[in-house]
Amino acid sequence: MSEDHCTIGNVPKPPAADGPPYADCVLCREPTEYPESYKGITLCPVCEWQEAQRTACSG
């Protein structure tokens, strides 16, 4: 029996915006690549990468 503790799950990403206005990052308030109309948590590329590093399996 093998369990993969590193898998977060199948979390859907918001669709990329075609252009402005962009949604603000919920952590740093910088513009994201997601449309302002998206309902849900949006992260800028930097915060998205940092969050992935923080939650990644360390070994």
Side-chain angles (χ1 to χ4, degrees):
M1 182 170 142
S2 174
E3 292 184 34
D4 187 358
H5 296 286
C6 296
T7 302
I8 294 174
N10 192 7
V11 179
K13 291 185 71 167
D18 292 331
Y22 298 107
D24 289 337
C25 175
V26 297
L27 298 178
C28 70
R29 310 309 294 167
E30 291 294 321
T32 67
E33 57 192 29
Y34 306 116
E36 194 174 64
S37 62
Y38 179 74
K39 303 291 186 220
I41 296 173
T42 54
L43 298 174
C44 70
V46 173
C47 289
E48 194 170 287
W49 181 83
Q50 290 174 341
E51 186 68 13
Q53 291 296 315
R54 188 182 69 76
T55 59
C57 194
S58 62

